[in-house]
Amino acid sequence: MNIFINIAGMDWRQRFKEYLKDEQLSQSEIAARIGVTQGGLGHWLSGRREINLSDFMALCKASGANAQFILFGEGDAKSLLLAEIRKLVRPEPPAPPPVEAKNPVSAPKTAKPKKNKQLA
């Protein structure tokens, strides 16, 4: 049974190729990440060879693609897990704390008259 079905005129292969293009990833780079040749990946993406589920999931994981999006065109293109990992690796910088004045500006002090020690 082939679970990689064609939906709305675009199959998973076309969505995956478009995803790679959008993310500026090469087939060679993804093939190296999952330990297959670029030719083997090319056979999967051209339809000359069927891909099994574990290899498909490896493709998604290696590229950061959301498997649900690649298969069915639903949801975000990027893996939610990858998005969460990126937040951990490159967290948004915290907002700077409010600046408190160390020396608050107050009215100028008036000089006290000096007592003359000689008069005492």
Side-chain angles (χ1 to χ4, degrees):
M1 181 177 153
N2 187 357
I3 63 168
F4 304 104
I5 56 178
N6 183 333
I7 295 181
M10 185 180 259
D11 70 3
W12 76 270
R13 293 170 182 90
Q14 293 167 312
R15 267 193 289 279
F16 191 75
K17 286 185 228 180
E18 286 297 315
Y19 175 81
L20 292 179
K21 189 187 311 181
D22 290 346
E23 293 299 309
Q24 299 178 349
L25 296 169
S26 69
Q27 288 184 20
S28 298
E29 183 178 354
I30 298 304
R33 288 181 188 180
I34 64 171
V36 298
T37 64
Q38 189 280 325
L41 176 58
H43 284 296
W44 289 335
L45 296 181
S46 69
R48 287 187 296 271
R49 284 199 193 131
E50 290 294 322
I51 189 171
N52 63 39
L53 185 57
S54 64
D55 288 332
F56 173 79
M57 293 307 293
L59 281 179
C60 291
K61 185 177 180 183
S63 65
N66 180 347
Q68 183 176 356
F69 173 79
I70 298 300
L71 280 177
F72 306 113
E74 298 173 353
D76 293 330
K78 288 192 176 198
S79 167
L80 298 179
L81 177 62
L82 183 63
E84 293 303 315
I85 291 170
R86 285 188 177 148
K87 285 181 187 176
L88 294 173
V89 173
R90 289 182 274 170
E92 294 180 18
V99 178
E100 294 182 23
K102 292 182 181 177
N103 297 322
V105 178
S106 59
K109 296 181 181 179
T110 55
K112 293 183 182 178
K114 292 185 181 182
K115 292 184 182 178
N116 192 344
K117 293 182 182 180
Q118 295 176 352
L119 295 176

